[in-house]
Amino acid sequence: MRKVILFFLIVVSFLFAWYGESRRFFCLEDGKCITVWKTYNNVCYVIPGKYYGIWAPSNNFIRTSNLNELTIFFTDELPNTWIVQSKEELKVYNKAGFVFLDYDEDSAKLRDILYKPDAKMFYKDLRFGASLINIDIKENYACNKDGKVI
């Protein structure tokens, strides 16, 4: 009887954790990947690469809400750098090896790096070597620069 109860508690705990925490990996064709890890208490971690850890990361991540929408730009001109545009406030935790830039704080300079001089469209007019992932955390999906769901 104890084994049955223990098994039941383990299964219920696993299902509770599975339901409450979801992790998605969004990757572009060039191999750039982002982990979006939605957790309890309206906390979401956005992490470079594929993150499989059990605990929250210790450095190089963004902490935001589970309802936010983000656009993350990549460019060959700024390797190991994310240019981030967010609908809501977010916190960046960065110790070394990776750079997070706020698009809204320095949009004039970053626009010149990311977009063609005569850019009219958000997705289609990125320079060669630039790409983006547009993430809707609440709906759990992302699009690339062509508007294709990834």
Side-chain angles (χ1 to χ4, degrees):
M1 184 67 170
R2 280 186 170 181
K3 289 182 181 181
V4 172
I5 292 173
L6 181 62
F7 178 75
F8 178 74
L9 289 174
I10 290 172
V11 168
V12 168
S13 298
F14 179 75
L15 291 174
F16 187 69
W18 183 269
Y19 174 75
E21 298 200 16
S22 67
R23 190 180 314 216
R24 294 280 313 263
F25 304 114
F26 299 110
C27 297
L28 295 173
E29 294 81 24
D30 61 2
K32 291 181 178 86
C33 292
I34 294 175
T35 301
V36 176
W37 183 12
K38 292 169 49 174
T39 65
Y40 292 106
N41 298 326
N42 197 28
V43 174
C44 178
Y45 300 102
V46 182
I47 310 158
K50 292 184 177 181
Y51 182 75
Y52 296 99
I54 297 171
W55 291 279
S58 58
N59 61 5
N60 298 334
F61 68 94
I62 296 170
R63 182 178 173 184
T64 187
S65 79
N66 287 339
L67 306 174
N68 200 0
E69 293 179 31
L70 301 171
T71 302
I72 300 175
F73 297 91
F74 308 94
T75 179
D76 293 343
E77 288 187 40
L78 302 170
N80 293 327
T81 301
W82 280 7
I83 301 168
V84 181
Q85 188 173 29
S86 175
K87 296 232 180 197
E88 296 179 8
E89 188 175 327
L90 48 85
K91 293 181 182 179
V92 174
Y93 297 87
N94 187 22
K95 290 187 179 172
F98 211 85
V99 177
F100 297 94
L101 300 175
D102 185 350
Y103 182 86
D104 295 327
E105 285 183 11
D106 203 5
S107 62
K109 177 185 166 196
L110 296 174
R111 183 175 172 79
D112 291 341
I113 292 171
L114 295 171
Y115 290 100
K116 298 174 187 173
D118 58 344
K120 303 265 188 286
M121 297 179 68
F122 181 68
Y123 292 123
K124 300 288 184 185
D125 289 336
L126 287 173
R127 290 184 181 269
F128 180 78
S131 58
L132 65 82
I133 296 179
N134 190 19
I135 305 169
D136 187 333
I137 297 171
K138 178 182 177 185
E139 299 298 328
N140 225 8
Y141 79 93
C143 298
N144 63 12
K145 68 179 181 180
D146 298 321
K148 179 181 168 192
V149 175
I150 52 176

